[in-house]
Amino acid sequence: MIEFRAHGKLFVAGEYAVVEPGQPSVLIALDRAITARVSEAHGAGSVHSEEYGHLPLTWTRDEDGLALDREHHPYDYVMATIDLVEKLRAERGIAPRFHDLRIESQLDDASGRKFGLGSSAAVTVATVGALDRFYGIGLTQRQRFQVALLATIRVNPRASGGDLAASTFGGWLRYSAPDRDHLASFVDERRVSDILTDAEAWAGFDVQRLPAPENLQLLVGWTGSPASTTKLVGVVRRHRNGGYQAFLDESRSCVDDLTTGLQTGDAEQTLDALRRARVLMQRLGDSVGSKIETERLATLCDVVEAAGGAAKPSGAGGGDCGIALVPADTDPAGIHRAWEAHDIRHLSVAVRAPEGALDE
Ligand SMILES: Nc1ncnc2c1ncn2[C@@H]1O[C@H](COP(=O)(O)OP(=O)(O)O)[C@@H](O)[C@H]1O
Ligand SMILES: C[C@@](O)(CCOP(=O)(O)OP(=O)(O)O)CC(=O)O
């Protein structure tokens, strides 16, 4: 039995801007994960997950590649990943086998509701990692990220891949994305191995480790299920106008200040950058007429501000999580009580340690 764990994430800053190639963001990986377990199968492959109810996904091969039962299940991240790894396996001359993949998630609550902690990314990264080991392909950490991103853009070409980076590399990260429209234009035509080593195809992609702030503690609140991220990203795209470049410039400057604050251990600069990132998201929401910072997210943030910290919606907003940094000596109990009084659930999560050194 081969097992691979991939962790959830939260955005700290740079949301929406990060969908543009080369625009920086900051993310953290969390200590909650999705585990993929893979074992040899015969005659057909299958995928088991609570996400799919009681029926596993089943697949075989035909002359065109994978043949899957699309009628009964949505074509999703896991199948896109299996499909892409199959291509890579064939390119490397590795003999085909069937496998049963079992997926277990800590990123939903007991009733299966998503917290918005990056389950699609974690399931993709976990599947790449498990299948890489199953077939003995020998991908590097960076290549696992690349394969996960190529699989993801087949399902959601808008996704920045920041969540995949956090899930793959762990810790605190500064991330900027490659041009996914460019990658998508040839992902089905070119050899996966060639795409992985084509530096020009990945222009804009960058990932750097950042130190965790020692003098600040992280708090996370969950405000309930979100509006669709894809829809919100679509709304912002449609409203790209004169103000959009200014938004990108301000977002970059804010992420740069956050980066410096973290690198120099300057708590005030870090908190100030987080507050600016909140304002940027509020203004973006106002300019496109969409509620990125919902009333409950606003309350979540205001409670933290009143306690001397800084907070903002994390990710696309419209619901889901808010992320807060407060001075290390703050007693979080008061903040948690105030959140609960407004139906905001405090999530006990911590940052996942970096997954080794970043390779080239
Ligand atoms: N436990 C799981 N097993 C299989 N697929 C999963 C699982 N969790 C999430 N996914 C995939 O990710 C999708 C959810 O992605 P999304 O709505 O973006 O949530 P998140 O914000 O947590 O990433 C699901 O529709 C499914 O395709
Ligand atoms: C708007 C974004 O920059 C951030 C969205 O972050 P979320 O954490 O809301 O994402 P999902 O896990 O897909 O729901 C879009 C992106 O980076 O792809």
Side-chain angles (χ1 to χ4, degrees), residues 9 34-35 47-52 57 74-78 103-108 114-124 127 155-156 163 226 228-230 320:
K9 66 90 189 55
I34 286 189
T35 306
V47 189
H48 304 252
S49 168
E50 288 197 353
E51 182 79 18
Y52 310 134
L57 296 186
Y75 182 67
D76 76 341
Y77 293 90
V78 177
I103 292 165
E104 202 181 288
S105 176
Q106 300 174 325
L107 300 180
D108 312 327
K114 296 201 182 325
F115 291 127
L117 300 178
S119 63
S120 58
V123 82
T124 306
T127 302
V155 183
N156 177 11
D163 47 4
S228 150
T229 299
T230 317
D320 267 347

Side-chain angles (χ1 to χ4, degrees), residues 2-337:
I2 286 162
E3 184 174 304
F4 198 96
R5 272 164 73 80
H7 291 256
K9 66 90 189 55
L10 281 173
F11 269 96
V12 181
E15 294 94 336
Y16 290 99
V18 69
V19 301
E20 303 296 340
Q23 277 284 147
S25 63
V26 172
L27 297 110
I28 48 176
L30 300 177
D31 59 354
R32 292 194 190 194
I34 286 189
T35 306
R37 296 188 177 84
V38 59
S39 56
E40 188 89 31
H42 303 281
S46 62
V47 189
H48 304 252
S49 168
E50 288 197 353
E51 182 79 18
Y52 310 134
H54 295 295
L55 288 175
L57 296 186
T58 55
W59 55 275
T60 53
R61 293 188 184 82
D62 61 19
E63 57 285 358
D64 297 327
L66 284 197
L68 59 129
D69 178 2
R70 280 180 202 239
E71 231 170 78
H72 297 101
H73 288 289
Y75 182 67
D76 76 341
Y77 293 90
V78 177
M79 284 314 303
T81 306
I82 294 178
D83 200 21
L84 202 80
V85 174
E86 275 290 303
K87 245 182 108 182
L88 192 58
R89 171 199 63 70
E91 287 170 15
R92 302 267 169 110
I94 299 169
R97 289 147 71 196
F98 286 110
H99 49 76
D100 288 331
L101 185 62
R102 286 175 192 273
I103 292 165
E104 202 181 288
S105 176
Q106 300 174 325
L107 300 180
D108 312 327
D109 75 358
S111 61
R113 281 193 306 178
K114 296 201 182 325
F115 291 127
L117 300 178
S119 63
S120 58
V123 82
T124 306
V125 171
T127 302
V128 172
L131 295 183
D132 172 54
R133 285 187 188 161
F134 179 73
Y135 281 124
I137 301 175
L139 294 172
T140 64
Q141 186 185 44
R142 189 186 172 90
Q143 288 171 335
R144 279 190 271 113
F145 165 81
Q146 291 174 301
V147 171
L149 185 69
L150 292 176
T152 296
I153 58 182
R154 286 172 156 191
V155 183
N156 177 11
R158 301 260 174 276
S160 67
D163 47 4
L164 297 167
S167 189
T168 305
F169 301 108
W172 284 73
L173 290 179
R174 179 179 162 111
Y175 169 81
S176 62
D179 185 337
R180 284 90 61 226
D181 286 337
H182 181 53
L183 289 168
S185 70
F186 49 67
V187 66
D188 290 326
E189 277 83 58
R190 288 180 59 187
R191 286 164 54 88
V192 180
S193 313
D194 292 344
I195 301 176
L196 299 187
T197 53
D198 177 354
E200 185 270 328
W202 295 89
F205 166 48
D206 189 38
V207 57
Q208 285 170 37
R209 289 217 177 285
L210 296 172
E214 278 173 18
N215 36 15
L216 295 170
Q217 55 174 316
L218 171 82
L219 304 178
V220 177
W222 184 63
T223 66
S225 295
S228 150
T229 299
T230 317
K231 271 197 206 136
L232 279 169
V233 171
V235 169
V236 171
R237 265 183 82 82
R238 281 194 297 282
H239 282 79
R240 282 183 298 187
N241 53 23
Y244 188 63
Q245 187 55 48
F247 162 71
L248 295 183
D249 294 343
E250 284 176 71
S251 177
R252 177 182 294 276
S253 135
C254 177
V255 171
D256 283 347
D257 284 352
L258 180 61
T259 303
T260 310
L262 290 166
Q263 284 171 336
T264 58
D266 185 335
E268 272 320 307
Q269 186 174 14
T270 303
L271 293 177
D272 189 53
L274 203 68
R275 290 184 189 115
R276 274 167 55 209
R278 177 185 179 193
V279 173
L280 277 176
M281 279 176 84
Q282 284 170 340
R283 291 215 306 251
L284 182 69
D286 290 346
S287 74
V288 303
S290 211
K291 271 248 174 271
I292 291 176
E293 182 174 301
T294 59
E295 265 160 47
R296 211 175 276 176
L297 279 169
T299 305
L300 181 155
C301 298
D302 293 343
V303 163
V304 175
E305 288 285 341
K312 63 181 275 298
S314 171
D320 267 347
C321 292
I323 189 167
L325 290 174
V326 296
D329 56 4
T330 309
D331 178 5
I335 293 177
H336 292 165
R337 270 197 304 276

